Amino acid sequence: MSDIPNPAAPFADPRGASLLKQDGRTKRRNAAEGRFKLYGIVAITIGLLMLLTLLFTIISRGTGAFQQTYVTLSVPLLEDKLDKNGNRNLEDIKKVSTFGYSPLLNAAFENKIETAGIDSDLKAKAMAGILSKDAAAQLRDHVLANPELIGSDAEFEFLTNSRVDGYLKGRVSRDSIANDKNISAEQLDLVDALIADGSIEKRFNLDFITGADASDARPEAAGMGVAMIGSFAMMLVVLVLALPIGVAASIYLEEFAPKNWITDIIEVNISNLAAVPSIVFGILGLAVFINYMHLPNSAPLVGGLVLTLMTLPTIIISTRASLKSVPPSIRDAALGVGASKMQSVFHHVLPLAAPGILTGTIIGLAQALGETAPLLLIGMVGFIASNPPESIAEGLMSPNSAMPAQIYEWAKRADPAFYERAWGGIIILLVFLISMNAIAVLLRRRFERRW
Amino acid sequence: MKDNRYSESDVTIQPVKIAARNVQVYYGDSHAIRDVDIDIADKTVTAFIGPSGCGKSTFLRCINRMNDTIDAARVTGDIRIDGEDIYDKRVDPVQLRAKVGMVFQKPNPFPKSIYDNVAYGPRIHGLARNKADLDDIVEQALRRGAIWNEVKDRLHAPGTGLSGGQQQRLCIARAVATEPEVLLMDEPCSALDPIATAQVEELIDELRQNYSVVIVTHSMQQAARVSQKTAFFHLGNLVEFGDTDDIFTRPQDPRTESYITGRIG
Amino acid sequence: MGQILTTGAVLPLVVLIAALALGGYFLARKRALASAKGDSRNLHSLPSYYGYNALMSVAVPALLVLGIWLLVQPMLVQSSVVDMIPASAVPEGSSVNLIMSDVRRLADGLDAAVSTGVISADDATGLSAADDLRAWLAERGVALGADVSPEVLEAAQAYREMTATGNFWRNILVALIALVALMLVLRETNKDFRARNRVEGGIKALLILAASLAILTTVGIVLSMLFETINFFNLHPWTDFFFGSSWAPNFRGDSDLSILPLLWGTLYISFIALLVAVPIGLFAAIYLSEYAGPKVRATAKPLLEILAGIPTIVYGLFALLTVGPFLVNVFGRGDAGLLGVDWMSGATSVLTAGLVMGIMLIPFVSSLSDDIINAVPQSLRDGSFGLGATQSETIRQVVIPAALPGIVGAVLLAASRAIGETMIVVLGAGAIARISGNPLEAMTTITTRIVSQLTGDSDFASPETLVAFALGLTLFVLTLGLNVLALYIVRKYREQYE
């Protein structure tokens, strides 16, 4: 401090207290400042913590759905059971129902414990109880597809039932099955033995991603695939309808609409529609599309129409923003060389606004993809769509579910094995949403123009 | 510049209030203020003049550390008020700003009543013991702001409802209410019409009785009318500092002369 | 030939229109060029505009008439057929609507059977109810809900006949319109015709149509709910709906259907959600806009906004399977619980749904408030700092009061969001309608009841189903009111600082 030259004249006498000493009041005020700032940090931390908890819950409880427990068995495909006439006529083989295949499974288990030297007091039927209820049907489908296998022993991988699966995943324990009629401790002993033998193992389950939903009794066989197709069909409808209509409406409102009360009403209307609860759109869809227009119940077409109406305001709002960001000088330049207003918009403004419009549309689609409530009202929930549709028309018109509706359906079922499915379904849904948003962000980064 | 200081020291009769030495200000990479040395006297109006972007406002904002609120700004050098370094670690900008009031370019009354606008400072600094005390402070401040007669009947009307000139005088009253020792004014009249400007200028002249007033202005006429001392800034340098009369009639530096004769700026 | 003309299928007609329109495009273009002696510079507009004009003139009126016809004809046919069904033909526990759907299914089934050639057209008209029609049709792939009574068969035949007549005139008229339009447009096509202006006028009309879809949607929402609500109030006293005290739907009739317990549940849950979301969201917004450096802001803000992008079904599941059981561990299970109390039995409760909804609303409140706080002019902050206020004093006493109207608007928008939220409450709140102050009890909401009354097999003639529309309309009015108010406040607020 002493190296600073003295001022030319003496300093004035200080009137107040020295600045170098904080008075008590300032100390208190600074403490309050610190507390206030802390509240902000705490608030953000809570928010981020919630996000983390949510993501952690989803991942920790959902990844299990991508793995499933299988048991490998050698099944004797006895000719006298499956094809009594011995002429390999497919019609005759078809007459054997799934019940006819059950004894083969029992026999397979008997063979297994003999060859593996496992000691079990269980009857063969009880042993087969660790299999999924799907197993006989799975076997039958395979035999029908390959009738030449009859008469030989064939190696098969069967799904185990959900309790065994839960046992391997740690969801089911010997304590928790005390009152469970679906599985017994002896069966678990068998499972332990088969694990030691290497016949039972847990591995990646593609069927969860591609397969169809299954009935209440077979959570181990349920998959998201068909619901995913339903969602795609709806997104197709939304894209085909909402994008052109939304862009057309935005062009009119932004470029042509005169400033009068009608335009005002439309604008207020759009911003309000954006905030109308989604369930109200479901009621609209039920009343108009199904009860009045008699479109088929549960059809992705109807779901798509409802989601279109819901997404339109979002698309219009973002499209108008990107139209607005094109500077008026571009319009003036086009008009200046003799283009009509319409030509200036379609030839110049619209192409420049396209990346923004696309980004907004993708975000709108992502929103629609996750929407559940309206789908409940138009019946896209509560049944099992067993087969993927064969054509686009069928995909649009035949009853189906959608990813979020499928998740809801699983969440409502009583068997906790379905909860794992629901969390797993959420992972699939989120993967789609994250990719869509990432594409939108990339588009924005890549094409964003600052005027 | 050292010469200026000597030449000015002969005429000064007031003690020094603010002394700045070797002040540099950086905004990010750009060097906005270079090597400013200046002594500002108590109970005097000092005007900072210069072309736009010359750094006069930036330097003004150093005096009450308003630059602290801008993340990119960095100040080095030494500024003392009453001999105390205001950039010392022990100094709390909050206390400093109570001592060094500021009036801004655009009148910025808070969206509160006239009374609450003026009472804001005294309240946060705890200057009033009770309601009657506060009423007194508010009235005194409004009187010193030369606006008491216009607003005394509507103290609880919103401050934003006043005219531009009234708003600016209200802001001055608001600044005065914390009993500062220095008043910094950043182009206080640039948003006002000529009549309101005249009122505010008159007020500034009265404020000289009690405060050291530093005013940034882009109007040379205004500097000539209200100030006793004038500093000319150019491209971040303090070019010339001296008695207002001297600066305007006998500028020493060719740049000052160019500016006051209207060739640059 | 007769079959082709009376077909209900729309596709052939659309193909015809498309063909005519496309033909019109090339003909008009050629004609315009010919009238300009092959030199397109002599034309008023570019050649393709003449083509587009023809295309539009052919397709738009024809498709418009077709569309309107498709909407109106079923209504007219339906209403005249309904009159044919005597009240005595409606069995106990059924309704005219159910009978009508059988009539439609029977008529459609007969048509389908005829078109696939299972039976001849004459056979179909000559059927009598004495034959075991239900079984007979079932063999041919048409499933009916009930046995066919003579009245139903008669109605179905009338339905078929009227539909056929309607289709006949529709097909003739639409084809005629397209043809006439084509001739007219070709006649006026010559080199001086202002084709571009006409085309642009047409496009503009389409744009206006698209823009008015928003109004149409709103009108559709209001009308669809209004009619059914009126039906509901004809079946059920409105005083019970608005002022009754209990909600106990009973599908054998004589239900208590009062909105009050549902409204209570809705508001209670929304209140808890706002209690969570507003302080956290507001403080987060304050920190982000006033304190955080650019780096913190650039990471924390988008991270928080992820919460807003997560579908509500995920939050619903989170409430049901994670938060609910956690709360039961804390407040329930007696001595085995964390607090050793037994105040909570099931995972679904007001608190469960409210907490999770609060989490969902945090980013909603924070990003709206962030925008609003940023709109407060910097000069006010400078003014406050210049007087020696600390940052928190500036925020609390200057920034927040200045931003208050906008923040109130944001909170109202969040409230409207909470009231209309469905999935979280469907999964997290429970299904018991009651008015109680205990947040650990399950309660139900308006949206939950809409879902439960309208899913599954609903009979649209019973008050228990129709009440959903009255609930929907109330919900719509409630949220619309909040939105309009909030948007108005926010708009006024923005104007103040522009």
Side-chain angles (χ1 to χ4, degrees), chain A residues 55 58-59 66 209 224 228 232 366 369 403 407 423-439, chain C residues 311 314:
Chain A
L55 293 181
I58 292 170
I59 291 172
F66 294 90
I209 301 171
M224 278 287 272
M228 220 186 280
F232 289 152
L369 189 67
M403 283 192 277
I407 294 167
W423 289 112
I426 284 176
I427 294 182
I428 297 182
L429 181 63
L430 287 185
V431 165
F432 277 107
L433 293 182
I434 291 169
S435 345
M436 286 168 86
N437 281 296
I439 291 174
Chain C
V314 181

Side-chain angles (χ1 to χ4, degrees), chain B residues 16 38 52 71 103 110-111 121 131 150 154 157 200 203 213 234:
Chain B
V16 169
I38 194 169
S52 312
D71 291 331
V103 176
F110 302 135
K131 177 80 172 82
E150 289 154 75
R154 45 173 176 149
V200 172
L203 174 58
V213 179
H234 186 243

